[in-house]
Amino acid sequence: GTVFAMEPKGAMIDIGAKTAAFMPLQEVSINRVEALSDVLQPGEVREFFIMSEENEDGQLSLSIRRIEYQRAWERVRQLQKEDATIYSEVFATNRGGALVRVEGLRGFIPGSHISTRKPKEDLVADFLPLKFLEVDEERNRLVLSHRRALVERKMNRLEVGEVVLGTVRGIKPYGAFIDIGGVSGLLHISEISHEHIETPHTVLNVNDQMKVMIIDLDAERGRISLSTKALEPEPGDMLTDPQKVFDKAEEMAARYKQMLLEQAEENEPMGVTLD
């Protein structure tokens, strides 16, 4: 269709029918616009989506927003398939989390997936790296994770068997959450020591600084598993002399890496030569 008249409430479009079609102002874009002239110009030829059948005057209603909406969902589905990291600006926050726009669509970041020490209200106008959690056009649900994007970025610089310095941020009956450079890893109770432990509280305190070794990286689920058990020179040292464990951490980690290497070599299939 060709734009031939601009009006306060919309635009008249020549689509080759007996009666000109009409596009309301709210249908001009998926994004909020102040005036038609921000998007359209008289004489411009472009695609329009037919929203409804002819009214009693024989006039069709058109939309550009519907086309942009369909293409936006196609784009975010593709980005999710590629497991892409995107950057988007927070335009509002609420009790549950933060709101952003992705390709013009409204997206939601749950509070549990926001990884920052800033008060949530102070995030407005911040650009955050994000990963997709849910893309559901039928239910109009676009859910994203800031935490997962940060964990993946951090994971790209980490490796299994590496010793890192961390701070205890939380203690649960099943283990402790350790902050390692802005992302959280789990030190499970079974990975604290070779000796049996009733509760992590008997060994660890919130805000303790400690050395831990990375034993697993799960980028897809955004999880980092940690161990001090693997760093114990003698079973039970985390209970009796944790400083000794931290002093010898790099030495014990080197042994752990060597063990992993030997296991990998043992599991490598043998080559067969045929004469």
Side-chain angles (χ1 to χ4, degrees):
T2 304
V3 181
F4 75 87
M6 309 274 275
E7 300 179 357
K9 293 184 178 180
M12 303 300 293
I13 314 295
D14 180 3
I15 58 170
K18 290 179 182 178
T19 306
F22 180 71
M23 186 184 65
L25 175 61
Q26 62 267 28
E27 292 296 327
V28 73
S29 176
I30 198 172
N31 299 303
R32 187 176 296 175
V33 296
E34 298 298 325
L36 280 172
S37 56
D38 293 342
V39 178
L40 291 178
Q41 297 299 322
E44 181 179 348
V45 178
R46 61 168 300 150
E47 287 183 324
F48 297 90
F49 180 90
I50 299 174
M51 289 197 300
S52 63
E53 295 180 3
E54 294 176 353
N55 61 16
E56 61 272 14
D57 298 324
Q59 188 178 64
L60 289 168
S61 292
L62 305 182
S63 173
I64 295 173
R65 186 178 69 86
R66 300 290 181 92
I67 296 174
E68 293 180 342
Y69 186 79
Q70 290 172 349
R71 289 175 179 168
W73 279 109
E74 288 172 9
R75 177 66 179 147
V76 295
R77 280 195 293 270
Q78 182 62 33
L79 289 168
Q80 183 193 38
K81 187 177 178 182
E82 295 169 1
D83 196 27
T85 298
I86 61 162
Y87 286 80
S88 189
E89 183 181 12
V90 175
F91 70 84
T93 61
N94 56 32
R95 192 168 60 182
L99 300 173
V100 295
R101 286 195 176 86
V102 182
E103 300 290 325
L105 301 172
R106 193 164 106 154
F108 177 65
I109 313 168
S112 60
H113 280 270
I114 298 173
S115 187
T116 176
R117 292 179 185 161
K118 269 188 177 183
K120 197 165 48 182
E121 300 74 26
D122 293 348
L123 289 174
V124 174
D126 280 5
F127 278 84
L128 302 179
L130 301 167
K131 302 287 280 189
F132 292 95
L133 291 179
E134 185 179 354
V135 175
D136 189 337
E137 181 178 359
E138 285 186 11
R139 296 168 62 202
N140 197 30
R141 279 177 60 84
L142 183 58
V143 186
L144 304 116
S145 173
H146 176 230
R147 178 174 59 81
R148 205 183 136 208
L150 290 184
V151 169
E152 184 181 273
R153 182 193 293 174
K154 182 70 178 177
M155 280 185 174
N156 289 337
R157 300 196 293 266
L158 298 174
E159 61 180 43
V160 172
E162 182 180 355
V163 173
V164 291
L165 186 65
T167 304
V168 179
R169 293 300 182 200
I171 300 176
K172 302 288 184 183
Y174 53 84
F177 289 97
I178 315 293
D179 183 301
I180 51 172
V183 295
S184 183
L186 176 63
L187 176 61
H188 193 269
I189 188 171
S190 63
E191 286 295 333
I192 294 175
S193 176
H194 285 87
E195 293 292 325
H196 176 70
I197 295 172
E198 291 292 337
T199 168
H201 285 92
T202 59
V203 184
L204 306 171
N205 297 296
V206 172
N207 294 326
D208 279 356
Q209 280 209 326
M210 59 190 298
K211 287 183 180 179
V212 288
M213 188 175 73
I214 297 165
I215 56 172
D216 188 51
L217 293 167
D218 187 342
E220 191 171 322
R221 298 167 73 186
R223 292 184 180 175
I224 302 172
S225 299
L226 307 169
S227 176
T228 49
K229 179 171 81 173
L231 299 177
E232 287 185 320
E234 299 293 335
D237 279 346
M238 270 303 292
L239 306 183
T240 59
D241 192 356
Q243 190 57 50
K244 177 183 174 185
V245 177
F246 304 149
D247 289 343
K248 291 186 171 290
E250 284 75 16
E251 179 185 330
M252 296 302 296
R255 291 188 196 178
Y256 182 85
K257 284 185 181 179
Q258 184 61 35
M259 181 190 71
L260 290 180
L261 187 61
E262 289 170 0
Q263 286 177 350
E265 289 173 352
E266 285 175 11
N267 294 331
E268 200 171 286
M270 298 292 287
V272 179
T273 303
L274 299 176
D275 291 334

